[in-house]
Amino acid sequence: MAAEDPVTMDKLVSLCKRRGFVFLSSEIYGGLGSSYDYGHYGVLLKNNVKAQWWRAMLQERDDVVALDSAIIQHPATWQASGHLAGFTDPLVDCRTCKLRFRADKLEEASCGRKPSKRPGETPECDLTEARDFNLMFQTTIGPVREEGSIVYLRPETAQGIFLNFKHYLQFSRKKPPFGIAQIGKSFRNEITTGNFIFRMREFEQMEMEFFVPPPEAAQWHGHWLEQRMNWWVALGLRPDHLRLRAHGAEELSHYSSATSDIEYEFPIGFSELEGIANRGDFDLRAHAEASGQKLEYVDGASGERYVPHVIEPAAGVDRAVLAFLSDAYDEDEIEGERRTVLRLHPLLAPVKVAVLPLVRKDGQPELAGEVYRALRERVQAEYDEGGAIGRRYRRQDEIGTPWAVTIDHQSLEDRTVTLRDRDSLAQERIAIDELGEEIERRLRAPWRSPKLAG
Ligand code: ATP
């Protein structure tokens, strides 16, 4: 049995703030609900997550191409996609405490009174009937605010892909099965907020629309479920914290004939990390009808034409960051001292290697500087010469740096250094000339979470 997992949401929020991963947005003005800013290490971690997604989607396949579409699209997009009519949450207001709740999540909400009760639970609660509330943010385009100038911030990146489908058939000479992948910001005026970066009003999505001949849709849905699950596991998420959950008929979105969620056991319990939907031909047909354009594949040789079906793996970048942080967070004891450590997969770690002179004299900082400049040519590295060596190790452990190089008096004599491993704490003596190769070798090696038992 593994030791009890020490992670809690409060500990993650506090580590993220203390070490500069994530801050509450506009904090000096008291913060803005469900908006967060990423600090230095958060940016590096998020970039690594996105780079690994692109790697799996593009570099390691030859049937997916990339797109970066506009956030503000023609408003007809949202009419055709069904978002104007259907992208809503049912809301109820309490006339007594003046708070607003999602009607389908009342059992998870707390009402305004203390001690906290569920909305509707006390005799004073006076809830309205549920009303539909659209989650899209509106703004206007152009200098005049008038009828026809209303536009929306996209609530998903997927529609930009459907709008460009025609271009891809022409320029990329792709034929189904093929996919178009995109990473970008999406916006939703979410009602149930809280839970840190799990649910934000402005967040990033990694979505891929995979266009297939209709008879092959179910088979490709299975393929993508497997691929995506393997991706999360290969990047270190513990398999016992992941599960697949198929949507029931009542839960399916208006466009979907089958959806399965990959759920991760966050500190708040099992929740959606990524959705993998079979969208059928709903979107291409809807946009073809609304735009009057033909959005279909025509086979040059046989003349066969059809509207492809679409399989969509849709993941959130911020939820991925939260899952990787939760999975990595650990506490242990070294020589009687408590340590907090992020056991991140080395490929995701914001900094791969820290270079630390043991003392700030005797030529050690100069040699350490030379080692650092050579290493940063290859990987994200950090130099730190301030304070006791133990404190500097602790700091790197807290940001998840997998390796630390220490320069000591022997280094000046024989050009060797010690290479310390974050998880095993093993320290090996290694020649400076071999360091870069060794770190790149370790980065490529398979990795398994040390939090897994056995
Ligand atoms: P939920 O049921 O949690 O609201 P959803 O089913 O509406 O999510 P999708 O529309 O399937 O989510 O979006 C795909 C992915 O985008 C989700 O799996 C999630 O990782 C991410 N995502 C969606 N909404 C948010 C949000 N408000 N904040 C952060 N990430 C989000």
Side-chain angles (χ1 to χ4, degrees):
M1 231 353 241
E4 199 175 318
D5 198 331
V7 68
T8 65
M9 199 64 112
D10 286 347
K11 287 183 191 174
L12 283 178
V13 173
S14 129
L15 174 77
C16 281
K17 183 173 175 182
R18 184 167 77 245
R19 289 300 180 199
F21 281 84
V22 181
F23 308 114
L24 180 62
S25 182
S26 321
E27 202 182 79
I28 61 167
Y29 290 109
L32 181 67
S34 293
S35 286
Y36 291 89
D37 297 340
Y38 282 81
H40 179 69
Y41 295 118
V43 172
L44 295 175
L45 171 58
K46 195 150 83 122
N47 280 349
N48 292 340
V49 170
K50 291 190 276 186
Q52 289 303 319
W53 189 86
W54 280 126
R55 185 184 168 96
M57 284 296 170
L58 296 183
Q59 193 179 328
E60 293 173 352
R61 301 185 67 104
D62 49 21
D63 54 2
V64 178
V65 284
L67 171 72
D68 187 351
S69 71
I71 284 172
I72 296 177
Q73 288 157 169
H74 195 288
T77 307
W78 309 111
Q79 182 74 47
S81 69
H83 282 82
L84 266 177
F87 195 57
T88 53
D89 278 343
L91 291 191
V92 295
D93 289 295
C94 177
R95 296 187 187 92
T96 316
C97 72
K98 311 284 182 223
L99 289 182
R100 180 169 277 187
F101 311 98
R102 252 174 81 166
D104 56 338
K105 299 249 159 118
L106 283 181
E107 69 288 355
E108 292 168 29
S110 313
C111 89
R113 246 131 333 113
K114 302 266 182 275
S116 189
K117 296 271 186 203
R118 302 281 161 254
E121 231 173 50
T122 74
E124 297 84 51
C125 292
D126 183 8
L127 301 183
T128 62
E129 289 290 301
R131 287 171 300 117
D132 281 337
F133 174 83
N134 198 297
L135 299 182
M136 283 195 295
F137 282 102
Q138 263 188 31
T139 185
T140 52
I141 200 158
V144 212
R145 194 185 271 268
E146 58 180 45
E147 188 66 18
S149 67
I150 291 177
V151 289
Y152 302 90
L153 304 189
R154 67 179 177 200
E156 61 175 32
T157 58
Q159 296 304 322
I161 296 178
F162 300 124
L163 301 192
N164 282 284
F165 174 70
K166 222 178 145 104
H167 294 137
Y168 279 74
L169 286 182
Q170 284 158 5
F171 93 87
S172 71
R173 299 182 16 247
K174 291 273 183 231
K175 59 179 279 191
F178 81 97
I180 305 175
Q182 156 152 249
I183 296 182
K185 283 249 164 137
S186 293
F187 303 81
R188 297 181 187 179
N189 200 357
E190 299 276 7
I191 305 310
T192 3
T193 54
N195 290 332
F196 197 34
I197 54 174
F198 178 83
R199 190 176 302 284
M200 296 153 80
R201 297 208 164 96
E202 177 182 338
F203 57 99
E204 260 186 301
Q205 289 187 304
M206 313 185 270
E207 294 195 300
M208 197 273 292
E209 309 301 317
F210 200 74
F211 301 93
V212 303
E216 295 175 20
Q219 173 210 328
W220 280 108
H221 191 225
H223 169 88
W224 282 108
L225 284 174
E226 192 186 328
Q227 291 290 310
R228 295 304 305 146
M229 191 57 121
N230 292 346
W231 186 83
W232 294 103
V233 173
L235 286 174
L237 290 190
R238 288 163 294 167
D240 62 354
H241 278 57
L242 284 165
R243 73 179 186 200
L244 207 57
R245 191 183 65 81
H247 282 204
E250 71 301 335
E251 204 187 343
L252 287 174
S253 316
H254 59 281
Y255 51 74
S256 174
S257 62
T259 296
S260 288
D261 289 342
I262 295 179
E263 297 188 332
Y264 176 76
E265 192 173 11
F266 291 94
I268 51 171
F270 269 104
S271 304
E272 176 177 342
L273 186 55
E274 170 161 13
I276 296 141
N278 179 348
R279 297 178 78 123
D281 59 7
F282 176 87
D283 305 271
L284 288 180
R285 278 201 191 281
H287 287 302
E289 196 175 307
S291 66
Q293 303 265 333
K294 282 208 165 70
L295 300 180
E296 58 185 16
Y297 172 71
V298 184
D299 189 290
S302 68
E304 183 202 2
R305 55 176 68 221
Y306 62 87
V307 179
H309 282 206
V310 174
I311 308 302
E312 174 197 75
V317 181
D318 313 273
R319 261 183 218 184
V321 166
L322 186 62
F324 287 124
L325 286 172
S326 315
D327 216 71
Y329 184 95
D330 207 0
E331 292 167 358
D332 64 4
E333 215 173 278
I334 309 177
E335 290 160 10
E337 218 189 301
R338 295 293 293 166
R339 147 176 108 139
T340 301
V341 51
L342 284 185
R343 304 192 190 279
L344 288 166
H345 190 298
L347 286 172
L348 298 180
V351 176
K352 311 302 182 206
V353 59
V355 181
L356 318 169
L358 193 60
V359 292
R360 210 175 354 184
K361 57 182 186 189
D362 303 337
Q364 289 185 19
E366 290 72 16
L367 181 58
E370 179 195 320
V371 170
Y372 164 66
R373 284 188 295 276
L375 285 178
R376 75 176 181 193
E377 297 276 320
R378 298 180 186 246
V379 294
Q380 188 74 39
E382 201 168 275
Y383 177 79
D384 186 4
E385 61 172 29
I389 189 77
R391 290 256 301 280
R392 281 180 277 160
Y393 283 145
R394 283 314 98 78
R395 188 173 162 275
Q396 294 298 333
D397 290 339
E398 283 207 4
I399 61 167
T401 307
W403 304 294
V405 168
T406 312
I407 281 80
D408 54 20
H409 67 279
Q410 191 184 330
S411 310
L412 288 131
E413 289 162 14
D414 64 3
R415 289 187 65 85
T416 65
V417 293
T418 59
L419 183 57
R420 171 190 185 265
D421 184 280
R422 174 195 72 196
D423 298 320
S424 69
L425 298 171
Q427 304 221 22
E428 280 172 47
R429 200 92 210 164
I430 174 170
I432 287 175
D433 292 346
E434 288 165 20
L435 258 182
E437 288 287 314
E438 174 61 15
I439 283 168
E440 283 181 351
R441 189 192 64 74
R442 291 186 182 197
L443 260 179
R444 284 192 303 269
W447 187 88
R448 184 173 185 271
S449 170
K451 284 171 80 177
L452 278 170

